[in-house]
Amino acid sequence: MRNGARYQIFTSSLYTAATWIAPLLLAFLLLLTQCKFAVAQLCEHKSSCICEMKDGSGTIDLSPLAKKGGQPNFKEGPANQECMQSSDIAVCQIQDDKYYDVGTQTSALFQNVGQGTEQKIVYKSSSSTKQSFVHLVCDPNISGGALAVIGETSSGSETYNFVLTSKYACLVTKSSGLSTGSILDIIFFVMLGTYFIAGVLYLRYKSGARGAESIPNYEFWMNLPSLTRDGCLFVAKGCKTEESYQRI
């Protein structure tokens, strides 16, 4: 609820060992490549206006929206002089002709929203428990930025919500270099190809294997789906084993 408040935003034996170690290494690399999707969502705080994806895939930079001279970029009604007296104010609330600090620049913290790259900035007051959430929405067609005031989450919560839509809220990807996830993908597929090609050649020409027998650790790969299923069932049951008794 808004309660009539106005806001201002400042913005061989060796081979045998290798054939058993290789699947484990490949499985580990596969786990890492899957983990990259979670890591990529974390945007590390660089300043009150900038955050950088932890995997180096890009940045979000809101600094072009900042105005000089301490003037608020977004406001409802005329700018309040009390709000502009402090250079650290990020969000200012004016209600009943009174000024309230609802968030400072130095308290700004980027937080990811959901599973995507969408972010929000959390501003906390320096003098009270009030705080502001500014949700960032990427829109390449809006250059100057559009701010929507949602208001207080619930009466008395002292948490105020805003939605900032702008092209500067979009993730700017880096055009050069490979991300950590891409490097892990390359390593994984190179090792996977080397493992199967070297294994097939060794078994075919050194051991005389033919057909499916020339696949390294054939039984392991054939049993992998059922082992994966058993592992999922084990976790789903709370890591508890079923006890069975045989009548004597």
Side-chain angles (χ1 to χ4, degrees), residues 94-108:
I94 304 100
Q95 187 172 17
D96 299 329
D97 296 327
K98 293 183 180 180
Y99 143 77
Y100 299 95
D101 163 19
V102 193
T104 62
Q105 298 283 359
T106 52
S107 69

Side-chain angles (χ1 to χ4, degrees), residues 217-226:
N217 291 303
Y218 174 75
E219 292 185 0
F220 170 81
W221 295 112
M222 289 298 295
N223 292 329
L224 185 60
S226 61

Side-chain angles (χ1 to χ4, degrees), residues 144-210:
L147 183 74
V149 180
I150 307 303
E152 195 171 7
T153 301
S154 60
S155 180
S157 66
E158 296 191 325
T159 298
Y160 305 90
N161 296 276
F162 307 84
V163 176
L164 174 61
T165 305
S166 172
K167 71 175 185 179
Y168 299 111
C170 300
L171 179 68
V172 179
T173 57
K174 295 184 178 180
S175 57
S176 61
L178 295 174
S179 66
T180 303
S182 299
I183 294 173
L184 288 174
D185 279 340
I186 293 172
I187 294 174
F188 170 74
F189 287 109
V190 169
M191 289 189 64
L192 182 65
T194 303
Y195 164 74
F196 278 107
I197 293 173
V200 169
L201 292 175
Y202 179 89
L203 291 174
R204 179 176 290 271
Y205 295 105
K206 292 294 184 180
S207 302
R210 291 293 182 271

